[in-house]
Amino acid sequence: MANNISKNDFAEVSLAYQILKTAGHPLYYRELIDKVVAAKGSTIRPPAHIIAEIHTQINLDSRFVHTGKSTWGLTEWSPQRISLRETEETAAARQDDVRREKLLAAIQQDFDSEDAGLTEEPADLIEDETEIEEDEEELETN
């Protein structure tokens, strides 16, 4: 099956791009299409067909962005779009970072206070096998 998009359609979309770039602001779709048709000159195609083709090509071309109320602008004019999900994920990650920092600070403080109160030698802190067996027996009886 042959591709139904003609070189004419590409020229019309390029004209629409140039018209918007020159205007410097979004245009109502009908005004934009009328300017494209006027720039192209007369054609043998029916006007409704031309309008539908140009509108479809603008919809499919990533250089254009629908700005609302049937107006079209250029993507390059729009600030980078960030989805709500990305914003929420970023906020959650920041909260996780803050919680992690607080937890680490609390652990470090506990660790430092334990070190300050340490009176036994490290070798004395290691339980021998008898102490371990006694602890296991105590747990089993409870």
Side-chain angles (χ1 to χ4, degrees):
M1 182 170 163
N3 192 348
N4 292 333
I5 300 173
S6 69
K7 290 181 182 178
N8 225 12
D9 293 338
F10 288 120
E12 291 166 348
V13 170
S14 294
L15 274 173
Y17 177 81
Q18 290 302 321
I19 289 167
L20 278 173
K21 192 152 181 97
T22 302
H25 58 84
L27 294 174
Y28 181 66
Y29 85 97
R30 187 62 190 249
E31 180 184 358
L32 176 60
I33 292 172
D34 287 346
K35 288 183 179 195
V36 170
V37 170
K40 284 287 285 187
S42 64
T43 180
I44 58 172
R45 295 181 294 173
H49 188 70
I50 295 170
I51 291 169
E53 282 182 8
I54 296 171
H55 192 262
T56 299
Q57 291 304 316
I58 289 171
N59 266 318
L60 297 174
D61 195 318
S62 64
R63 297 178 294 174
F64 299 93
V65 63
H66 184 256
T67 58
K69 297 187 179 182
S70 301
T71 58
W72 288 90
L74 298 178
T75 305
E76 61 197 52
W77 297 339
S78 300
Q80 183 180 4
R81 293 182 179 198
I82 298 174
S83 71
L84 179 59
R85 181 177 165 203
E86 290 172 331
T87 304
E88 290 172 348
E89 287 173 355
T90 302
R94 286 186 188 142
Q95 287 176 342
D96 287 345
D97 289 345
V98 169
R99 279 184 265 177
R100 189 174 296 116
E101 290 297 323
K102 287 180 180 178
L103 181 60
L104 288 173
I107 291 170
Q108 185 64 42
Q109 185 178 6
D110 288 347
F111 185 75
D112 290 344
S113 65
E114 285 178 8
D115 280 350
L118 188 63
T119 56
E120 299 179 31
E121 290 296 317
D124 295 338
L125 294 176
I126 300 175
E127 293 182 316
D128 62 12
E129 287 184 35
T130 313
E131 291 175 331
I132 294 173
E133 289 171 2
E134 289 173 358
D135 290 341
E136 289 175 351
E137 288 174 9
E138 185 178 315
L139 287 173
E140 289 174 2
T141 58
N142 290 333

